[in-house]
Amino acid sequence: FYLVLAKKPQDMAIVPPASAASGMKIAWVNADTLDARYEWLKEQKKAIEQRAENAEKSLRSKEESLMRDMAAFEQKAQSGNVARADLEKEYATLGKRQQNLQEESQKLGKQLSEEQKKAFNELYANVEIQLKTLSSQIGYDYIFSYSRGGQILLANDSLEITNQVLDLLNAKKQE
């Protein structure tokens, strides 16, 4: 078998796919810009961050209280002035508080994770609705999400519709 190239590589042209020739319309949205400038999303992130900060403060306060009580317990135990039964009872109480604190921490982490997931799902639903609206107005067949380092390596700037999508999303939020 022999392979004979009739054309040199520099003479070869890239032929657009058949879908482009048939008038398929494609656009893209910059996901990073959407993330930075979509007002509703910024509010959701801020609210989740505030809840996380409040939860962290509360847990830290409870943890500090527990540590103080544990230090006091150690002093009592070392003094030898407290009955063994009382020490065992207090030790069990402190252990239970520590366990409850760990459970509360896990529960709060799970709640925050669920809130983030819910916000992401709402974001996706809002964007999808607006993209369908935009697509029907302008007639796009595909609208891709572009993010630096993502699956799409290069995007033609003339096909970007990020600002139009942001205008629709932020206008919807003001209603």
Side-chain angles (χ1 to χ4, degrees):
F1 294 97
Y2 294 101
L3 177 63
V4 179
L5 296 175
K7 295 183 180 179
K8 296 178 186 171
Q10 64 266 25
D11 295 337
M12 300 176 91
I14 297 174
V15 179
S19 61
S22 67
M24 186 172 294
K25 288 189 171 184
I26 297 173
W28 61 273
V29 175
N30 188 312
D32 298 329
T33 303
L34 199 66
D35 186 54
R37 294 182 32 213
Y38 182 20
E39 294 302 321
W40 177 86
L41 181 59
K42 289 195 300 190
E43 290 172 7
Q44 292 297 312
K45 284 182 175 181
K46 187 176 180 180
I48 290 171
E49 287 171 5
Q50 185 63 47
R51 284 192 289 277
E53 187 178 310
N54 291 343
E56 202 173 291
K57 282 180 185 177
S58 173
L59 286 172
R60 194 171 32 250
S61 173
K62 290 177 182 179
E63 186 176 309
E64 289 170 359
S65 173
L66 178 62
M67 297 307 259
R68 282 191 302 271
D69 291 348
M70 289 179 121
F73 170 76
E74 281 187 37
Q75 286 181 343
K76 283 182 196 176
Q78 290 175 356
S79 73
N81 297 334
V82 182
R84 182 169 176 86
D86 291 338
L87 287 175
E88 288 175 0
K89 183 178 176 184
E90 190 172 346
Y91 181 77
T93 301
L94 289 171
K96 181 67 174 163
R97 279 180 56 197
Q98 186 174 25
Q99 182 181 358
N100 289 343
L101 188 60
Q102 289 172 345
E103 289 171 1
E104 184 178 354
S105 176
Q106 290 172 351
K107 181 181 173 185
L108 287 171
K110 185 177 178 183
Q111 283 176 338
L112 289 172
S113 175
E114 288 172 2
E115 286 179 29
Q116 287 174 330
K117 183 178 178 182
K118 180 182 174 192
F120 177 78
N121 287 338
E122 287 179 27
L123 164 69
Y124 189 78
N126 290 341
V127 170
E128 186 176 26
I129 289 167
Q130 295 308 322
L131 288 177
K132 283 181 181 180
T133 301
L134 188 62
S135 177
S136 68
Q137 291 171 356
I138 303 174
Y140 288 116
D141 295 305
Y142 294 97
I143 300 175
F144 294 100
S145 171
Y146 173 78
S147 180
R148 187 171 187 190
Q151 296 292 326
I152 298 174
L153 301 176
L154 181 65
N156 183 333
D157 290 342
S158 69
L159 302 175
E160 181 180 9
I161 59 170
T162 305
N163 289 330
Q164 295 94 317
V165 172
L166 275 168
D167 290 344
L168 283 170
L169 289 169
N170 287 329
K172 180 181 181 234
K173 188 229 174 269
Q174 292 174 354
E175 294 174 354

